[in-house]
Amino acid sequence: MTDQTYQPTLSQLRAFVAVAEYRHFGTAAARLTVSQPTLSQALASLENGLGIQLIERSTRRVLVTAAGMRLLPQAMATLEAADRFVASATGDSLGGVLRLGIIPTVAPYVLPELLPELRRKVPGLVPQVVEDQTARLLDGLRTGVLDVALLALPTEAPGLVEIPLYSEEFVLVTPRGHELAGRTDLAAPALADLPLLLLDEGHCLRDQTLDLCRTADVHPGAVGDTRAASLTTVVQCVAGGLGVTLIPEMAVPSETARGTLDIARFAAPAPGRTIGLAYRASSARADDYEYLAAVIRSKRPH
């Protein structure tokens, strides 16, 4: 039974949240820059004070109990409020730890300019970047493991607020000298029977490409025969003559810089996607995320 006079410390809550996030005591201790015994003691004190088991430990794995899953969002909200309190005291509108999720088809093209800009404008901010597929980022937002995520909108996930940032077109990447190379008037039917290379299951760009094909009643050839975990790998396969692919506009400069590829563009209205931020509707940091959105808009690749 919980002692009604018990008051957990922030260190205890941070220990619980870190173990719940990483499912590994050693990793959680390293991220909090404390020793593993210190972490274990903090978690044990929290569980004893609450009279509830939050984490199930075994020699092979670490699991969050049902009670732990129920209390995790509240623990995250408490830590978020504490970080915001300190940031307000120091005058930083966006300060403290920020767990930022970001999809793989955005991260390499936004982070090189975004992170230095955040260091310059918000020196008190400590970003923790988590690159992952959309479904896992949304799960991280729901459970409180992430504060905010940069991904393709709309997410159609309940309980989230979305801030659209910008839209970008899809560009067809072809081997050098391909018959479609250099075109600026493509229509979706032009993809018919082409060997279309896609990212692996779970990537939203894969789903968006297939949605485009279905909408236009197009059936590209050999879809799914070659799949990759990154745009760079897909583009290298195109350069090697395995097929063609669609990539977002922001990826074109870096992914085609080798000079062994050509591109073709679609006629207006070109297919594309909208990139934006998503965060929990219950979060008290709406103003912070609006400021983050403004910084991202100012530094996105053009």
Side-chain angles (χ1 to χ4, degrees):
M1 180 179 294
T2 302
D3 181 355
Q4 296 299 319
T5 65
Y6 171 70
Q7 294 292 321
T9 66
L10 292 180
S11 296
Q12 292 168 352
L13 292 177
R14 291 192 195 281
F16 165 47
V17 169
V19 173
E21 177 178 357
Y22 297 108
R23 302 295 205 276
H24 190 276
F25 277 76
T27 303
R31 292 304 297 265
L32 293 179
T33 64
V34 299
S35 67
Q36 192 166 327
T38 297
L39 177 84
S40 298
Q41 183 178 1
L43 179 59
S45 297
L46 178 62
E47 291 180 319
N48 289 335
L50 295 174
I52 297 173
Q53 184 182 16
L54 301 172
I55 300 295
E56 182 180 331
R57 311 155 179 81
S58 72
T59 56
R60 293 186 177 181
R61 60 182 180 174
V62 174
L63 298 175
V64 183
T65 66
M69 291 301 295
R70 176 173 57 84
L71 293 174
L72 181 59
Q74 297 177 55
M76 290 293 303
T78 300
L79 294 175
E80 186 177 85
D83 289 339
R84 183 171 175 80
F85 175 79
V86 173
S88 297
T90 58
D92 289 333
S93 62
L94 182 62
V97 175
L98 179 74
R99 290 166 289 264
L100 171 64
I102 184 167
I103 56 176
T105 56
V106 170
Y109 317 109
V110 168
L111 292 179
E113 291 195 26
L114 175 61
L115 293 179
E117 185 71 358
L118 287 174
R119 282 196 299 270
R120 185 179 70 84
K121 289 188 173 181
V122 196
L125 182 68
V126 184
Q128 294 180 353
V129 176
V130 177
E131 183 185 42
D132 212 333
Q133 296 177 3
T134 298
R136 287 194 285 268
L137 294 183
L138 293 177
D139 185 59
L141 287 175
R142 283 190 292 267
T143 60
V145 171
L146 295 175
D147 298 314
V148 63
L150 182 60
L151 34 66
L153 301 182
T155 65
E156 298 181 351
L160 297 182
V161 175
E162 299 177 355
I163 306 176
L165 297 176
Y166 56 86
S167 297
E168 59 178 346
E169 297 179 356
F170 293 149
V171 177
L172 182 68
V173 179
T174 73
R176 177 58 60 85
H178 191 275
E179 60 181 7
L180 296 179
R183 293 269 299 272
T184 59
D185 59 348
L186 291 183
L191 300 176
D193 300 323
L194 292 178
L196 187 62
L197 308 183
L198 301 173
L199 287 170
D200 209 349
E201 297 282 354
H203 289 274
C204 59
L205 182 59
R206 171 189 175 88
D207 296 335
Q208 291 157 355
T209 300
L210 292 176
D211 284 345
L212 169 64
C213 293
R214 282 191 289 268
T215 300
D217 196 24
V218 169
H219 305 283
V223 167
D225 289 355
T226 295
R227 293 183 294 181
S230 72
L231 278 184
T232 298
T233 300
V234 172
V235 170
Q236 288 174 344
C237 290
V238 173
L242 299 185
V244 300
T245 195
L246 294 181
I247 67 173
E249 179 71 42
M250 72 164 68
V252 172
S254 58
E255 297 298 348
T256 63
R258 301 176 188 84
T260 57
L261 297 159
D262 281 323
I263 64 171
R265 298 183 183 276
F266 290 87
R273 65 181 184 178
T274 298
I275 299 299
L277 290 175
Y279 63 92
R280 291 182 299 280
S282 59
S283 174
R285 303 183 69 179
D287 290 344
D288 292 347
Y289 301 144
E290 287 289 352
Y291 180 75
L292 176 62
V295 174
I296 295 173
R297 289 190 190 100
S298 72
K299 299 307 295 184
R300 80 176 183 90
H302 294 281

